[in-house]
């Protein structure tokens, strides 16, 4: 069984937790896009692990973890993370693989990311994570990027020097500090030896695994509404976090995919700038942030919070072909008198959008249309069987399902591994 797992909203749906849960039945977990802009949290017992580049399956000994060709990988972030994973007591040797085709996020990509963000006028800022993601992908599609395999080549450090010179011109134009080429050379020299043991032809590895009948789990980072094609462009990331990206980012054919699982938070959050139709700037939004612990796992920024948006989720269901939903954070809604679901966006002239508009300007003229359901006013985190949930909680979940399509596969009622109800997967 090969499963693609994607985020259905604006990220931070709980993908890390669900990946960890599903890894039990998988042999290989592969990241296929994004980079260290991701922050995936897994809670086991009283220990909290946050992963940025290393697949969230790593907490299961013996499972293979792959950084696919579609990822942009900052070698320093990765080295730090590998050390951390080892310090947690997990062995990586022989089961961690980095694609030689993956692109690298270099120090100058990070500098350009920050300088570009600073130069954008108010209203045009994206609120990036500052991890160099946009500039690294720009270099990739502009055909001047650096691939992981390049570190093995004898002219690697000369390429570093040349790239720093080019980047300095861009940084100067942005009015930012330039970088010293020789310092960069010094910085990157020890990295080569540290990463070399993990660099391999992961496409070959993926295909050998599939031919041997192994189960592969594709770990999406970011989410549908942050997709460079399907999201709220330009307030998006620079990759394809949607299901199609699993193939282009790992070298596996669409025919090898058996099912798609979408991770859906039972309310909505967003970090960074950009439209968010159901955002709450009132006490209810504050309650969601407090109960949900909605602070970025990568940047620590407070996440914007709002009611569940069925327009977004239905769109995500279609774009990804979601078979099963992993619904998360039901427990965060436990204390509300009533809960709301947005079913459409009403324009000032009365027209109601049932699907997400491409033109973001339209959203300025829209108000969300809400359905209000009674809350359940009791704790759900201890519940281990779906039937034992309060009736109103079940009604809420079932109404969401009715509006968005797909089946319910997993329901999460708390951060820890144990607070996960397996339903249809
Ligand atoms: P990801 O980026 O999609 O992996 O999600 P993050 O890890 O950035 O954010 C999800 C946060 O919610 C983390 O702090 C998780 O520990 C937590 N979490 C996941 N599922 C649940 C849940 O069902 N209930 C609660 N209360 N917290 C959850
Ligand atoms: P996970 O995998 C939430 C957001 C940033 C910014 C936009 C572009 O943990 O769900 P980038 O640094 O990618 O150029 O920033 O995308 N963003 C995320 N938001 N979760 C993430 O990852 C995100 N990765 C990027 O806040 O708005
Ligand atoms: Mg996250």
């Amino acid at each position: 069984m090969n499963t693609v797992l994607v985020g259905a909203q604006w990220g931070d749906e709980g993908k890390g937790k669900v990946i960890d849960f599903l890894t039990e039945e998988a042999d290989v977990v592969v990241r296929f896009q994004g980079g260290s802009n991701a922050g995936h949290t897994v809670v086991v017992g009283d220990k909290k692990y946050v992963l940025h580049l290393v697949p969230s399956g790593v907490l299961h000994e013996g499972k293979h973890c792959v950084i696919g060709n579609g990822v942009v990988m900052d070698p320093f972030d990765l080295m730090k993370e590998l050390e951390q994973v080892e310090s947690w007591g997990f062995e990586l040797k022989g089961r961690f693989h980095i694609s030689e085709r993956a692109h690298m996020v270099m120090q100058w990509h990070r500098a350009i990311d920050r300088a570009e963000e600073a130069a954008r006028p108010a209203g045009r800022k994206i609120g990036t994570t500052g991890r160099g993601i946009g500039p690294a992908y720009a270099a990739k599609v502009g055909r001047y990027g650096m691939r992981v395999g390049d570190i093995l080549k004898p002219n690697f450090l000369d390429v570093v020097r040349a790239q720093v010179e080019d980047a300095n011109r861009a940084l100067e134009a942005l009015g930012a500090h330039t970088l010293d080429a020789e310092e960069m050379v010094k910085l990157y020299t020890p990295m080569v030896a540290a990463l070399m043991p993990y660099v391999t032809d992961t496409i070959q590895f993926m295909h050998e695994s599939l031919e041997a009948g192994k189960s592969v789990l594709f770990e999406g980072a970011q989410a549908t509404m942050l997709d460079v094609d399907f999201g709220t462009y330009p307030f998006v990331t620079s990759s394809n976090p949607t299901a199609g990206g699993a193939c282009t980012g790992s070298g596996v054919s669409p025919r090898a995919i058996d099912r798609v699982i979408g991770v859906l938070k039972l309310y909505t959050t967003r970090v960074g700038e950009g439209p968010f139709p159901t955002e709450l700037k009132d006490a209810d939004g504050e309650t969601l942030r407090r109960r949900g612990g909605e602070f970025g796992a990568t940047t620590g920024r407070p996440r914007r919070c709002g009611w569940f948006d069925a327009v977004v989720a239905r769109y995500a269901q279609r774009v990804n072909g979601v078979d099963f939903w992993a619904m998360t954070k039901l427990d965060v809604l436990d204390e509300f008198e009533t809960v709301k679901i947005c079913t459409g966006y009403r324009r000032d002239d009365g027209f109601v959008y049932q699907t997400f508009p491409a033109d973001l300007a339209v959203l300025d003229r829209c108000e969300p249309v809400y359905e209000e359901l009674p809350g359940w006013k009791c704790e759900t985190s201890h519940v281990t069987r779906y039937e034992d949930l309060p009736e109103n909680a079940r009604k809420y979940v079932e109404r969401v399902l009715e509006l968005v399509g797909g089946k319910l596969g997993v329901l999460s009622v708390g951060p820890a591994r144990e607070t996960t109800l397996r339903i249809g997967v």
Side-chain angles (χ1 to χ4, degrees):
M1 183 67 94
N2 301 318
T3 306
V4 174
L5 182 133
V6 292
Q9 294 144 320
W10 277 283
D12 306 324
E13 296 88 352
K15 297 177 292 294
K17 177 187 166 165
V18 181
I19 286 282
D20 171 72
F21 179 73
L22 296 173
T23 298
E24 212 142 293
E25 296 131 49
D27 301 297
V28 180
V29 187
V30 53
R31 275 280 306 269
F32 57 84
Q33 47 67 236
S36 54
N37 49 348
H40 294 179
T41 315
V42 181
V43 178
V44 184
D46 56 6
K47 198 144 171 52
K48 178 168 150 177
Y49 304 93
V50 181
L51 296 147
H52 302 281
L53 276 162
V54 176
S56 307
V58 75
L59 308 179
H60 293 257
E61 290 290 359
K63 308 288 176 161
H64 285 270
C65 291
V66 176
I67 304 256
N69 57 277
V71 170
V72 288
M73 185 273 288
D74 183 323
F76 295 109
D77 281 348
L78 182 68
M79 273 162 39
K80 247 192 292 166
E81 199 170 325
L82 294 180
E83 272 168 33
Q84 195 168 45
V85 170
E86 279 173 339
S87 78
W88 292 334
F90 298 98
E91 176 69 45
L92 288 161
K93 287 201 183 64
R95 68 174 183 116
F96 180 65
H97 319 278
I98 309 168
S99 171
E100 55 193 345
R101 290 176 174 86
H103 278 246
M104 284 193 290
V105 179
M106 306 299 277
Q107 290 297 305
W108 45 99
H109 296 141
R110 291 176 88 112
I112 292 172
D113 188 2
R114 285 193 297 268
E116 282 179 338
E117 188 65 11
R120 284 183 192 112
R124 301 250 307 271
K125 290 194 191 293
I126 294 168
T128 73
T129 60
R131 295 294 191 273
I133 305 299
Y137 276 116
K140 174 180 173 174
V141 297
R143 294 160 296 183
Y144 55 91
M146 291 187 81
R147 303 206 293 178
V148 169
D150 292 340
I151 66 171
L152 309 176
K153 294 186 183 153
N155 68 342
F156 170 63
L157 295 174
D158 293 330
V159 178
V160 167
R161 282 191 189 91
Q163 292 234 347
V164 173
E165 271 177 37
D166 291 343
N168 278 344
R169 278 193 289 278
L171 286 167
E172 257 167 36
L174 288 161
H177 291 296
T178 55
L179 301 171
D180 183 81
E182 292 315 309
E183 220 170 88
M184 289 296 122
V185 165
K186 259 195 240 142
L187 202 62
Y188 281 102
T189 307
M191 182 207 81
V192 179
L195 290 184
M196 198 114 73
Y198 301 112
V199 178
T200 187
D201 182 349
T202 55
I203 296 182
Q204 174 75 4
F205 176 78
M206 294 301 299
H207 284 273
E208 279 171 7
S209 302
L210 291 171
E211 282 154 22
K214 306 276 191 216
S215 237
V216 180
L217 193 49
F218 297 84
E219 177 174 354
Q222 289 79 54
T224 306
M225 299 311 285
L226 291 171
D227 186 290
V228 69
D229 285 277
F230 304 112
T232 44
Y233 190 90
F235 304 99
V236 292
T237 192
S238 301
S239 67
N240 287 123
T242 42
C247 296
T248 53
S250 71
V252 164
S253 152
R255 290 165 163 225
I257 311 294
D258 298 300
R259 62 180 183 180
V260 176
I261 298 183
V263 187
L264 194 57
K265 198 184 291 199
L266 285 163
Y267 52 96
T268 315
T269 63
R270 171 163 208 171
V271 219
E273 304 299 322
F276 180 177
T278 64
E279 181 170 15
L280 293 169
K281 293 184 173 160
D282 59 4
D284 285 343
E286 207 40 65
T287 303
L288 289 172
R289 188 172 307 111
R290 172 178 51 80
R291 283 194 62 96
E294 296 296 355
F295 296 88
T298 296
T299 57
R301 292 179 289 181
R303 295 174 182 153
R304 300 156 65 192
C305 297
W307 294 121
F308 184 80
D309 187 335
V311 180
V312 163
R314 190 163 50 228
Y315 176 69
Q317 199 281 331
R318 288 176 161 173
V319 167
N320 296 291
V322 171
D323 298 297
F324 294 100
W325 291 112
M327 294 189 185
T328 62
K329 306 194 94 160
L330 178 74
D331 56 298
V332 173
L333 300 173
D334 284 352
E335 74 177 56
F336 286 95
E337 286 292 340
T338 60
V339 278
K340 289 187 188 170
I341 298 177
C342 167
T343 57
Y345 308 141
R346 183 175 291 113
R347 207 168 51 194
D348 47 15
D349 61 1
F351 178 83
V352 177
Y353 286 87
Q354 303 278 355
T355 182
F356 206 90
D359 178 6
L360 301 184
V362 158
L363 292 171
D364 294 337
R365 293 178 49 199
C366 289
E367 287 292 331
V369 179
Y370 284 118
E371 261 180 39
E372 193 162 2
L373 281 76
W376 43 95
K377 302 278 285 170
C378 63
E379 293 293 322
T380 54
S381 273
H382 61 279
V383 173
T384 54
R385 293 187 322 166
Y386 185 76
E387 311 80 83
D388 297 339
L389 285 171
E391 190 186 357
N392 284 349
R394 273 184 283 130
K395 280 193 175 152
Y396 177 71
V397 166
E398 282 153 27
R399 180 63 185 141
V400 165
L401 211 52
E402 194 171 54
L403 287 166
V404 305
K407 300 189 191 78
L408 181 57
V410 172
L411 185 67
S412 171
V413 291
R417 211 181 242 175
E418 307 74 55
T419 51
T420 320
L421 282 60
R422 180 185 289 273
I423 294 153
V425 291

mmCIF file of all heavy atoms in Angstrom, residues 223-257:
data_model
loop_
_atom_site.group_PDB
_atom_site.id
_atom_site.type_symbol
_atom_site.label_atom_id
_atom_site.label_comp_id
_atom_site.label_asym_id
_atom_site.label_seq_id
_atom_site.Cartn_x
_atom_site.Cartn_y
_atom_site.Cartn_z
ATOM 1 N N ALA A 223 1.021 22.715 2.300
ATOM 2 C CA ALA A 223 -0.368 22.284 2.123
ATOM 3 C C ALA A 223 -0.948 22.815 0.813
ATOM 4 O O ALA A 223 -0.332 23.646 0.138
ATOM 5 C CB ALA A 223 -1.214 22.785 3.290
ATOM 6 N N THR A 224 -2.157 22.363 0.517
ATOM 7 C CA THR A 224 -2.830 22.694 -0.743
ATOM 8 C C THR A 224 -2.929 24.201 -0.986
ATOM 9 O O THR A 224 -2.647 24.682 -2.076
ATOM 10 C CB THR A 224 -4.247 22.079 -0.727
ATOM 11 O OG1 THR A 224 -4.106 20.684 -0.436
ATOM 12 C CG2 THR A 224 -4.953 22.280 -2.053
ATOM 13 N N MET A 225 -3.317 24.955 0.048
ATOM 14 C CA MET A 225 -3.525 26.387 -0.164
ATOM 15 C C MET A 225 -2.212 27.178 -0.174
ATOM 16 O O MET A 225 -2.215 28.387 -0.388
ATOM 17 C CB MET A 225 -4.492 26.954 0.887
ATOM 18 C CG MET A 225 -5.881 26.328 0.858
ATOM 19 S SD MET A 225 -6.618 26.262 -0.788
ATOM 20 C CE MET A 225 -7.087 27.964 -1.007
ATOM 21 N N LEU A 226 -1.090 26.464 0.042
ATOM 22 C CA LEU A 226 0.229 27.090 -0.084
ATOM 23 C C LEU A 226 0.922 26.608 -1.358
ATOM 24 O O LEU A 226 2.075 26.954 -1.624
ATOM 25 C CB LEU A 226 1.107 26.766 1.135
ATOM 26 C CG LEU A 226 0.705 27.407 2.470
ATOM 27 C CD1 LEU A 226 1.535 26.827 3.620
ATOM 28 C CD2 LEU A 226 0.867 28.929 2.415
ATOM 29 N N ASP A 227 0.222 25.809 -2.167
ATOM 30 C CA ASP A 227 0.789 25.267 -3.406
ATOM 31 C C ASP A 227 0.993 26.415 -4.401
ATOM 32 O O ASP A 227 0.123 27.275 -4.552
ATOM 33 C CB ASP A 227 -0.194 24.233 -3.970
ATOM 34 C CG ASP A 227 0.349 23.498 -5.175
ATOM 35 O OD1 ASP A 227 0.480 24.133 -6.254
ATOM 36 O OD2 ASP A 227 0.629 22.290 -5.062
ATOM 37 N N VAL A 228 2.120 26.394 -5.089
ATOM 38 C CA VAL A 228 2.434 27.498 -6.009
ATOM 39 C C VAL A 228 1.431 27.563 -7.171
ATOM 40 O O VAL A 228 1.211 28.634 -7.730
ATOM 41 C CB VAL A 228 3.918 27.403 -6.483
ATOM 42 C CG1 VAL A 228 4.133 26.208 -7.398
ATOM 43 C CG2 VAL A 228 4.360 28.690 -7.155
ATOM 44 N N ASP A 229 0.794 26.455 -7.509
ATOM 45 C CA ASP A 229 -0.225 26.464 -8.568
ATOM 46 C C ASP A 229 -1.644 26.616 -8.033
ATOM 47 O O ASP A 229 -2.464 27.281 -8.644
ATOM 48 C CB ASP A 229 -0.144 25.161 -9.379
ATOM 49 C CG ASP A 229 1.043 25.160 -10.310
ATOM 50 O OD1 ASP A 229 0.919 25.738 -11.400
ATOM 51 O OD2 ASP A 229 2.104 24.606 -9.950
ATOM 52 N N PHE A 230 -1.954 25.949 -6.937
ATOM 53 C CA PHE A 230 -3.348 25.866 -6.481
ATOM 54 C C PHE A 230 -3.669 26.768 -5.289
ATOM 55 O O PHE A 230 -4.830 26.915 -4.922
ATOM 56 C CB PHE A 230 -3.693 24.409 -6.127
ATOM 57 C CG PHE A 230 -3.451 23.480 -7.267
ATOM 58 C CD1 PHE A 230 -2.437 22.532 -7.215
ATOM 59 C CD2 PHE A 230 -4.215 23.575 -8.420
ATOM 60 C CE1 PHE A 230 -2.191 21.691 -8.284
ATOM 61 C CE2 PHE A 230 -3.974 22.734 -9.497
ATOM 62 C CZ PHE A 230 -2.952 21.790 -9.434
ATOM 63 N N GLY A 231 -2.637 27.306 -4.679
ATOM 64 C CA GLY A 231 -2.840 28.089 -3.457
ATOM 65 C C GLY A 231 -3.188 29.535 -3.733
ATOM 66 O O GLY A 231 -3.523 29.925 -4.855
ATOM 67 N N THR A 232 -3.117 30.340 -2.666
ATOM 68 C CA THR A 232 -3.494 31.750 -2.724
ATOM 69 C C THR A 232 -2.297 32.560 -3.237
ATOM 70 O O THR A 232 -1.726 33.380 -2.513
ATOM 71 C CB THR A 232 -3.909 32.225 -1.325
ATOM 72 O OG1 THR A 232 -2.958 31.730 -0.370
ATOM 73 C CG2 THR A 232 -5.290 31.718 -0.952
ATOM 74 N N TYR A 233 -1.951 32.311 -4.498
ATOM 75 C CA TYR A 233 -0.803 32.954 -5.136
ATOM 76 C C TYR A 233 -0.963 34.470 -5.134
ATOM 77 O O TYR A 233 -2.048 34.936 -5.433
ATOM 78 C CB TYR A 233 -0.692 32.433 -6.580
ATOM 79 C CG TYR A 233 0.569 32.829 -7.277
ATOM 80 C CD1 TYR A 233 1.698 32.018 -7.207
ATOM 81 C CD2 TYR A 233 0.647 34.026 -7.993
ATOM 82 C CE1 TYR A 233 2.878 32.391 -7.841
ATOM 83 C CE2 TYR A 233 1.822 34.405 -8.612
ATOM 84 C CZ TYR A 233 2.934 33.582 -8.537
ATOM 85 O OH TYR A 233 4.092 33.952 -9.153
ATOM 86 N N PRO A 234 0.061 35.242 -4.822
ATOM 87 C CA PRO A 234 1.458 34.876 -4.560
ATOM 88 C C PRO A 234 1.764 34.554 -3.095
ATOM 89 O O PRO A 234 2.931 34.380 -2.755
ATOM 90 C CB PRO A 234 2.204 36.148 -4.982
ATOM 91 C CG PRO A 234 1.259 37.256 -4.617
ATOM 92 C CD PRO A 234 -0.126 36.708 -4.827
ATOM 93 N N PHE A 235 0.740 34.460 -2.252
ATOM 94 C CA PHE A 235 0.980 34.179 -0.827
ATOM 95 C C PHE A 235 1.051 32.662 -0.621
ATOM 96 O O PHE A 235 0.164 32.062 -0.006
ATOM 97 C CB PHE A 235 -0.101 34.834 0.027
ATOM 98 C CG PHE A 235 -0.209 36.315 -0.222
ATOM 99 C CD1 PHE A 235 -1.178 36.835 -1.064
ATOM 100 C CD2 PHE A 235 0.702 37.190 0.367
ATOM 101 C CE1 PHE A 235 -1.261 38.198 -1.317
ATOM 102 C CE2 PHE A 235 0.632 38.560 0.126
ATOM 103 C CZ PHE A 235 -0.351 39.059 -0.723
ATOM 104 N N VAL A 236 2.069 32.078 -1.188
ATOM 105 C CA VAL A 236 2.219 30.620 -1.218
ATOM 106 C C VAL A 236 3.682 30.270 -0.996
ATOM 107 O O VAL A 236 4.530 31.166 -0.935
ATOM 108 C CB VAL A 236 1.769 30.060 -2.604
ATOM 109 C CG1 VAL A 236 0.282 30.218 -2.802
ATOM 110 C CG2 VAL A 236 2.534 30.730 -3.745
ATOM 111 N N THR A 237 3.981 28.990 -0.945
ATOM 112 C CA THR A 237 5.373 28.568 -0.955
ATOM 113 C C THR A 237 5.755 28.298 -2.422
ATOM 114 O O THR A 237 4.937 28.495 -3.323
ATOM 115 C CB THR A 237 5.598 27.348 -0.030
ATOM 116 O OG1 THR A 237 7.008 27.162 0.135
ATOM 117 C CG2 THR A 237 4.954 26.079 -0.560
ATOM 118 N N SER A 238 6.986 27.835 -2.681
ATOM 119 C CA SER A 238 7.441 27.768 -4.075
ATOM 120 C C SER A 238 7.448 26.353 -4.641
ATOM 121 O O SER A 238 8.148 26.087 -5.607
ATOM 122 C CB SER A 238 8.838 28.375 -4.168
ATOM 123 O OG SER A 238 8.796 29.700 -3.714
ATOM 124 N N SER A 239 6.668 25.458 -4.024
ATOM 125 C CA SER A 239 6.669 24.071 -4.510
ATOM 126 C C SER A 239 5.241 23.568 -4.677
ATOM 127 O O SER A 239 4.290 24.306 -4.466
ATOM 128 C CB SER A 239 7.427 23.178 -3.522
ATOM 129 O OG SER A 239 6.724 23.094 -2.291
ATOM 130 N N ASN A 240 5.099 22.307 -5.054
ATOM 131 C CA ASN A 240 3.788 21.661 -5.180
ATOM 132 C C ASN A 240 3.574 20.672 -4.041
ATOM 133 O O ASN A 240 3.890 19.486 -4.153
ATOM 134 C CB ASN A 240 3.663 20.914 -6.523
ATOM 135 C CG ASN A 240 3.498 21.837 -7.713
ATOM 136 O OD1 ASN A 240 4.280 21.793 -8.656
ATOM 137 N ND2 ASN A 240 2.482 22.685 -7.673
ATOM 138 N N PRO A 241 2.974 21.134 -2.944
ATOM 139 C CA PRO A 241 2.694 20.229 -1.820
ATOM 140 C C PRO A 241 1.492 19.323 -2.073
ATOM 141 O O PRO A 241 1.181 18.477 -1.233
ATOM 142 C CB PRO A 241 2.378 21.182 -0.664
ATOM 143 C CG PRO A 241 2.746 22.555 -1.129
ATOM 144 C CD PRO A 241 2.662 22.536 -2.608
ATOM 145 N N THR A 242 0.811 19.491 -3.195
ATOM 146 C CA THR A 242 -0.365 18.667 -3.491
ATOM 147 C C THR A 242 0.065 17.283 -3.992
ATOM 148 O O THR A 242 1.242 17.054 -4.276
ATOM 149 C CB THR A 242 -1.251 19.378 -4.524
ATOM 150 O OG1 THR A 242 -0.408 19.938 -5.524
ATOM 151 C CG2 THR A 242 -2.064 20.480 -3.882
ATOM 152 N N ALA A 243 -0.922 16.381 -4.138
ATOM 153 C CA ALA A 243 -0.620 14.961 -4.386
ATOM 154 C C ALA A 243 0.270 14.737 -5.613
ATOM 155 O O ALA A 243 1.132 13.852 -5.601
ATOM 156 C CB ALA A 243 -1.923 14.178 -4.498
ATOM 157 N N GLY A 244 0.064 15.531 -6.665
ATOM 158 C CA GLY A 244 0.881 15.361 -7.877
ATOM 159 C C GLY A 244 2.359 15.539 -7.600
ATOM 160 O O GLY A 244 3.215 14.916 -8.255
ATOM 161 N N GLY A 245 2.681 16.376 -6.622
ATOM 162 C CA GLY A 245 4.076 16.636 -6.283
ATOM 163 C C GLY A 245 4.787 15.396 -5.754
ATOM 164 O O GLY A 245 6.013 15.302 -5.839
ATOM 165 N N ALA A 246 4.017 14.445 -5.227
ATOM 166 C CA ALA A 246 4.638 13.227 -4.679
ATOM 167 C C ALA A 246 5.385 12.467 -5.773
ATOM 168 O O ALA A 246 6.426 11.855 -5.515
ATOM 169 C CB ALA A 246 3.574 12.337 -4.044
ATOM 170 N N CYS A 247 4.846 12.498 -6.989
ATOM 171 C CA CYS A 247 5.485 11.772 -8.095
ATOM 172 C C CYS A 247 6.688 12.544 -8.623
ATOM 173 O O CYS A 247 7.783 12.002 -8.727
ATOM 174 C CB CYS A 247 4.473 11.531 -9.206
ATOM 175 S SG CYS A 247 3.143 10.455 -8.659
ATOM 176 N N THR A 248 6.473 13.827 -8.940
ATOM 177 C CA THR A 248 7.585 14.599 -9.503
ATOM 178 C C THR A 248 8.708 14.781 -8.474
ATOM 179 O O THR A 248 9.860 14.950 -8.855
ATOM 180 C CB THR A 248 7.105 15.982 -9.983
ATOM 181 O OG1 THR A 248 6.421 16.626 -8.908
ATOM 182 C CG2 THR A 248 6.163 15.863 -11.172
ATOM 183 N N GLY A 249 8.369 14.720 -7.211
ATOM 184 C CA GLY A 249 9.377 14.971 -6.188
ATOM 185 C C GLY A 249 10.064 13.721 -5.661
ATOM 186 O O GLY A 249 10.891 13.807 -4.747
ATOM 187 N N SER A 250 9.691 12.553 -6.221
ATOM 188 C CA SER A 250 10.332 11.331 -5.710
ATOM 189 C C SER A 250 10.757 10.379 -6.819
ATOM 190 O O SER A 250 11.462 9.409 -6.568
ATOM 191 C CB SER A 250 9.369 10.599 -4.768
ATOM 192 O OG SER A 250 8.307 10.036 -5.516
ATOM 193 N N GLY A 251 10.273 10.634 -8.041
ATOM 194 C CA GLY A 251 10.651 9.759 -9.153
ATOM 195 C C GLY A 251 9.811 8.506 -9.245
ATOM 196 O O GLY A 251 10.191 7.516 -9.871
ATOM 197 N N VAL A 252 8.611 8.551 -8.627
ATOM 198 C CA VAL A 252 7.703 7.398 -8.647
ATOM 199 C C VAL A 252 6.518 7.727 -9.547
ATOM 200 O O VAL A 252 6.049 8.860 -9.575
ATOM 201 C CB VAL A 252 7.249 7.099 -7.196
ATOM 202 C CG1 VAL A 252 6.051 6.197 -7.158
ATOM 203 C CG2 VAL A 252 8.405 6.491 -6.406
ATOM 204 N N SER A 253 6.022 6.739 -10.265
ATOM 205 C CA SER A 253 4.910 6.963 -11.196
ATOM 206 C C SER A 253 3.580 7.113 -10.458
ATOM 207 O O SER A 253 3.378 6.484 -9.409
ATOM 208 C CB SER A 253 4.826 5.763 -12.137
ATOM 209 O OG SER A 253 3.514 5.583 -12.585
ATOM 210 N N PRO A 254 2.622 7.894 -11.018
ATOM 211 C CA PRO A 254 1.292 7.983 -10.407
ATOM 212 C C PRO A 254 0.639 6.604 -10.259
ATOM 213 O O PRO A 254 -0.179 6.387 -9.377
ATOM 214 C CB PRO A 254 0.485 8.846 -11.385
ATOM 215 C CG PRO A 254 1.469 9.520 -12.254
ATOM 216 C CD PRO A 254 2.746 8.750 -12.214
ATOM 217 N N ARG A 255 1.035 5.670 -11.125
ATOM 218 C CA ARG A 255 0.444 4.328 -11.050
ATOM 219 C C ARG A 255 0.834 3.576 -9.789
ATOM 220 O O ARG A 255 0.191 2.583 -9.434
ATOM 221 C CB ARG A 255 0.907 3.504 -12.243
ATOM 222 C CG ARG A 255 0.315 3.973 -13.522
ATOM 223 C CD ARG A 255 1.091 3.362 -14.650
ATOM 224 N NE ARG A 255 0.317 3.457 -15.862
ATOM 225 C CZ ARG A 255 0.168 2.469 -16.732
ATOM 226 N NH1 ARG A 255 0.751 1.320 -16.515
ATOM 227 N NH2 ARG A 255 -0.549 2.637 -17.804
ATOM 228 N N ALA A 256 1.888 4.032 -9.154
ATOM 229 C CA ALA A 256 2.338 3.332 -7.933
ATOM 230 C C ALA A 256 1.572 3.788 -6.695
ATOM 231 O O ALA A 256 1.710 3.205 -5.626
ATOM 232 C CB ALA A 256 3.838 3.565 -7.731
ATOM 233 N N ILE A 257 0.792 4.853 -6.842
ATOM 234 C CA ILE A 257 0.090 5.401 -5.671
ATOM 235 C C ILE A 257 -1.244 4.675 -5.479
ATOM 236 O O ILE A 257 -2.054 4.599 -6.400
ATOM 237 C CB ILE A 257 -0.204 6.920 -5.853
ATOM 238 C CG1 ILE A 257 1.034 7.688 -6.307
ATOM 239 C CG2 ILE A 257 -0.830 7.510 -4.585
ATOM 240 C CD1 ILE A 257 2.160 7.765 -5.335
#
